Amino acid sequence: MPSKEKMTLKAFWEAVEQRLDQCSADELRAILRAMAHETLPAGRQAFLAKLEPAAETGSAIQQAIGQEDLLADIGDLAREIKAAMKNAEEYWDEGYYDEWGDYHDDEDSLSPYEDFVEPLAALVERVDAVFDYGKLTLARKAYQKLYETLSLEDDHGRGVRISDLDQVDKAELWARYLRAVYETEPQASRPQALFEQMQQSRFGFGKPRAMLDDVIQISPKPLPDQDQFLKEWVAFLRKQKGADADAWLREAIRLSQGTAGLEKLALKEGKKRPRAYLDWFTALESEGKHAEVLAAAQQALLILPEKQPIRAAVADHLCVAASKLNDPQALRDGRWQAFEAQPGLGCLLDLQDTVAAGKEQLKWMRQAAEYLKDYIAHPPRKANSASAEWPPDDQEEEAWTDESVLVHAYLLAQDWDAAHKQVAHMQVLGWSYDTSSQGWCLAFFLALLAGCTDATMPANLKELWRSALRSSIGFGYGGMAYYNDYDDYEDKEGWVEADALASQDNRLPERIEHTYAQMLPNASLSKEQQTRFSAWCIDTANKRMQAIVGGQHRKSYDKAAVLVAACAEMLQAQGKDADAMLNSARESFPRHSAFQAELERAAGRMGRARTKKRK
């Protein structure tokens, strides 16, 4: 199966040349005939034009991209955009009607700049052609003028941005420009010039920082003076401050000195540059040296400050090595170290997975709960960041966690009383937010009280179970907009719990659902807990119903109805009067027809229809 990773331009041309060398003249003819057969009728002339000899094609392109014309065309388009910006106020203040008569007032719209997207993309293609044909001085000037044009904005801060050019590969665009800067800059000033322009690529550009390897891979030709430049580059970067300089220094050492250079950097400066450890471990892993990774990661964890979040990434490398070496003790220790550094739900589940089910697993979950309780009460101070020279990122920022993770730890430890105590004080509204785990705790207790498993869970309880569980971890919205308990329309796109990002575990919802599904058949409540928690669940459900329906939060009437019906299903499973719960809800709001309809719909999903009202 082919790799999904984008092939660099350098690798592409090397592969093309390799295949051409391997093909005979007859094989090349066969390939071209096959391509001709696949060409649609409308594309036949364009296909034939591509078969012209390279010299003629190159001459035509070079004529089309003459220096004066190209720079002048970019300047002309920039002036047109500026003129449009002078008249843009009417669009933003009053909206406008398009040629089809449709009214527009979207502040995020490109209008009135939509017409400039296609001409700008065409200019990018022309400048790329200049670069490909080796006219790098012209390419550098043209790219600079393009970026200036793409930085233009009106009084509202709007304009055409690189991100609006859908057909343009933004990463390759920057790499071509940086390569042009590199090759046209005098050797003495090359490090400073490249550094400044690489930093510029961080602004208004939706990708991670540009790297020197991007500059190397954007052309099939070797990077001129690469070895000498790397020496000068390393010396220059050691004098610079900031996260960018640190990342580029580590890359330069990897490119020039390999794994040995990364080892030296990590051992000498690892406390100041903790990511050097990660680069070193990655290099060792690529060489299959897992025993060395294990030993080095264990040593790094002794050196790096406690609770420093990047320790979790170091521990992840340790765990990979421990798994490869079949060392369960080291694996469990690594999972605990990762959890201490990033005490989120993902790391909690990782830790649980390393321990066999039973008393030992419960012991570790109780230990995790105690750690979380202390962590929340005494969060790490900002001074523990890896470096004061640059703002911490997702691996160096102080780890985030909250009560919802603590509640999960209590439940996984089967400490029912502690979990109940943690959520009992919470508001009955706001269950849709990931800061509230009251809804999940209630749903879990209902399942235990009903004595059901994931497979035998009745319909309303199943719906409550899934929605409450996903809300409790703040994950899985997938961009779906919804109304919360307060009738506020919310778009959760991009809202992902911090610990899920830190652990890079995009399967967190599936994992936690599977964990609790496996847990249900083997969990139980004492008789005293059954009585107490049953009363609490019913009381909380009634209070939530009163708050939602009494407060006329109409978009959440269905949630209140499902909750009431789930409690009725629990009572039904225990052989108790489920109708009493439903009828009490009906009688509480006899004139709220919308809620009554939702309640009858939920009741109809129970084992037998319960729609008869008590007179």
Side-chain angles (χ1 to χ4, degrees):
M1 185 175 181
S3 172
K4 293 184 179 180
E5 185 176 349
K6 187 181 76 172
M7 179 179 286
T8 66
L9 190 63
K10 180 180 179 69
F12 171 72
W13 279 113
E14 288 176 350
V16 168
E17 292 298 332
Q18 183 180 14
R19 295 197 181 187
L20 289 176
D21 289 341
Q22 294 172 347
C23 292
S24 65
D26 288 339
E27 288 171 333
L28 288 174
R29 290 190 180 92
I31 292 172
L32 288 173
R33 290 190 184 102
M35 293 172 65
H37 278 300
E38 295 174 356
T39 302
L40 297 175
R44 288 169 183 167
Q45 288 294 338
F47 178 81
L48 290 174
K50 293 178 182 179
L51 298 182
E52 294 292 333
E56 295 181 22
T57 304
S59 176
I61 291 178
Q62 288 180 14
Q63 185 176 0
I65 59 175
Q67 177 172 351
E68 293 182 3
D69 290 344
L70 178 59
L71 297 179
D73 288 348
I74 297 174
D76 289 343
L77 188 60
R79 283 188 287 274
E80 291 180 32
I81 294 174
K82 290 177 182 178
M85 287 178 172
K86 292 181 180 179
N87 302 318
E89 193 68 26
E90 59 186 271
Y91 288 90
W92 312 128
D93 290 345
E94 302 177 0
Y96 69 98
Y97 289 91
D98 63 22
E99 57 185 298
W100 293 281
D102 294 326
Y103 184 76
H104 296 263
D105 62 355
D106 184 359
E107 292 187 355
D108 294 327
S109 171
L110 264 174
S111 297
Y113 309 125
E114 289 176 323
D115 292 341
F116 296 110
V117 172
E118 188 174 336
L120 276 167
L123 283 172
V124 170
E125 288 187 13
R126 289 176 61 187
V127 181
D128 285 348
V130 170
F131 175 91
D132 290 340
Y133 277 87
K135 304 180 77 171
L136 299 183
T137 299
L138 172 58
R140 180 174 178 176
K141 293 179 181 178
Y143 281 129
Q144 287 171 336
K145 289 182 71 69
L146 274 177
Y147 291 137
E148 290 170 4
T149 303
L150 289 165
S151 299
L152 294 173
E153 58 183 38
D154 58 26
D155 292 339
H156 295 267
R158 303 181 184 90
V160 186
R161 301 288 182 260
I162 293 178
S163 58
D164 297 318
L165 308 183
D166 295 334
Q167 303 303 316
V168 174
D169 189 310
K170 287 79 175 177
E172 289 196 357
L173 185 64
W174 270 110
R176 289 171 187 269
Y177 170 59
L178 293 173
R179 179 68 176 251
V181 170
Y182 179 96
E183 294 207 33
T184 58
E185 189 70 24
Q187 187 171 346
S189 56
R190 186 178 283 166
Q192 181 69 46
L194 191 65
F195 181 78
E196 291 174 356
Q197 295 308 312
M198 289 174 75
Q199 284 189 315
Q200 285 296 317
S201 72
R202 299 281 278 154
F203 300 100
F205 185 46
K207 80 174 281 284
R209 64 174 63 90
M211 304 298 289
L212 182 62
D213 195 52
D214 297 331
V215 180
I216 295 172
Q217 299 297 329
I218 198 59
S219 172
K221 300 176 183 178
L223 189 69
D225 310 314
Q226 179 171 326
D227 292 342
Q228 180 60 33
F229 174 74
L230 282 171
K231 295 178 182 177
E232 297 169 356
W233 189 227
V234 168
F236 174 85
L237 291 172
R238 284 194 174 279
K239 300 175 183 178
Q240 311 306 314
K241 295 182 179 180
D244 288 337
D246 180 72
W248 293 330
L249 173 63
R250 290 183 282 107
E251 181 201 32
I253 289 176
R254 175 179 60 81
L255 291 172
S256 60
Q257 302 173 36
T259 305
L262 292 173
E263 177 182 6
K264 183 178 179 181
L265 181 66
L267 295 178
K268 186 177 180 180
E269 302 181 48
K271 194 168 184 179
K272 177 184 177 182
R273 306 180 189 275
R275 287 178 178 272
Y277 284 116
L278 307 184
D279 291 352
W280 178 29
F281 300 156
T282 299
L284 288 173
E285 287 168 353
S286 68
E287 299 170 5
K289 297 179 179 179
H290 303 296
E292 293 185 29
V293 173
L294 180 60
Q298 290 172 332
Q299 185 63 27
L301 290 170
L302 294 175
I303 295 172
L304 294 174
E306 291 185 5
K307 290 190 178 181
Q308 185 172 321
I310 203 169
R311 290 171 60 90
V314 173
D316 285 342
H317 283 280
L318 187 156
C319 291
V320 170
S323 296
K324 294 287 186 181
L325 298 170
N326 194 26
D327 188 338
Q329 180 63 46
L331 178 60
R332 184 164 57 250
D333 291 345
R335 291 302 184 202
W336 177 256
Q337 295 266 21
F339 175 73
E340 282 188 316
Q342 293 278 5
L345 187 55
C347 288
L348 180 67
L349 295 180
D350 289 340
L351 175 63
Q352 186 192 47
D353 289 344
T354 64
V355 185
K359 293 182 179 180
E360 185 71 8
Q361 191 176 81
L362 296 180
K363 183 191 79 172
W364 278 92
M365 291 300 98
R366 292 190 189 100
Q367 182 176 328
E370 288 302 313
Y371 180 82
L372 279 165
K373 185 178 179 181
D374 181 71
Y375 191 97
I376 293 170
H378 307 93
R381 297 180 179 178
K382 293 292 183 181
N384 286 344
S385 294
S387 172
E389 295 179 356
W390 60 77
D393 60 11
D394 62 322
Q395 288 188 325
E396 293 177 3
E397 177 67 89
E398 281 71 20
W400 173 91
T401 194
D402 69 3
E403 286 185 278
S404 64
V405 184
L406 177 57
V407 170
H408 281 294
Y410 282 139
L411 291 175
L412 294 176
Q414 298 192 16
D415 192 342
W416 315 130
D417 289 324
H420 173 254
K421 182 179 179 181
Q422 196 68 31
V423 303
H425 69 282
M426 293 181 178
Q427 298 294 321
V428 293
L429 288 180
W431 283 8
S432 296
Y433 296 114
D434 56 12
T435 53
S436 174
S437 50
Q438 186 182 75
W440 165 240
C441 199
L442 184 146
F444 184 80
F445 285 159
L446 285 179
L448 285 183
L449 290 163
C452 58
T453 66
D454 183 68
T456 63
M457 204 174 289
N460 292 290
L461 180 51
K462 185 74 169 181
E463 182 177 335
L464 176 66
W465 171 281
R466 287 181 172 170
S467 63
L469 179 54
R470 294 213 169 197
S471 292
S472 76
I473 62 175
F475 196 92
Y477 294 99
M480 179 179 65
Y482 74 104
Y483 286 88
N484 65 18
D485 301 331
Y486 306 100
D487 285 358
D488 295 327
Y489 184 76
E490 297 189 356
D491 185 351
K492 284 283 189 174
E493 184 172 9
W495 285 29
V496 180
E497 189 180 86
D499 68 90
L501 283 173
S503 65
Q504 298 297 305
D505 189 355
N506 293 325
R507 292 182 58 251
L508 188 58
E510 296 176 21
R511 292 181 67 199
I512 192 65
E513 286 179 9
H514 176 75
T515 296
Y516 280 114
Q518 294 291 106
M519 180 180 174
L520 265 183
N522 303 310
S524 62
L525 299 168
S526 68
K527 288 189 176 182
E528 184 275 332
Q529 288 173 327
Q530 290 179 30
T531 301
R532 181 157 47 91
F533 293 158
S534 178
W536 174 76
C537 288
I538 292 172
D539 180 62
T540 302
N542 282 325
K543 287 180 179 177
R544 179 165 166 80
M545 177 190 67
Q546 292 287 339
I548 290 176
V549 184
Q552 296 188 359
H553 301 299
R554 299 176 184 274
K555 297 298 182 180
S556 290
Y557 282 2
D558 59 330
K559 297 179 184 178
V562 167
L563 175 59
V564 169
C567 289
E569 287 171 338
M570 178 271 292
L571 293 171
Q572 184 181 51
Q574 293 182 336
K576 297 179 181 179
D577 187 5
D579 288 317
M581 180 81 187
L582 295 170
N583 287 328
S584 175
R586 292 184 181 111
E587 293 169 359
S588 295
F589 300 98
R591 298 184 180 181
H592 289 67
S593 58
F595 172 67
Q596 292 283 344
E598 292 292 348
L599 188 59
E600 297 313 311
R601 186 177 295 111
R605 297 169 59 190
M606 295 174 61
R608 58 188 178 87
R610 296 176 176 274
T611 57
K612 184 178 180 181
K613 298 182 181 179
R614 180 186 299 168
K615 295 182 180 180

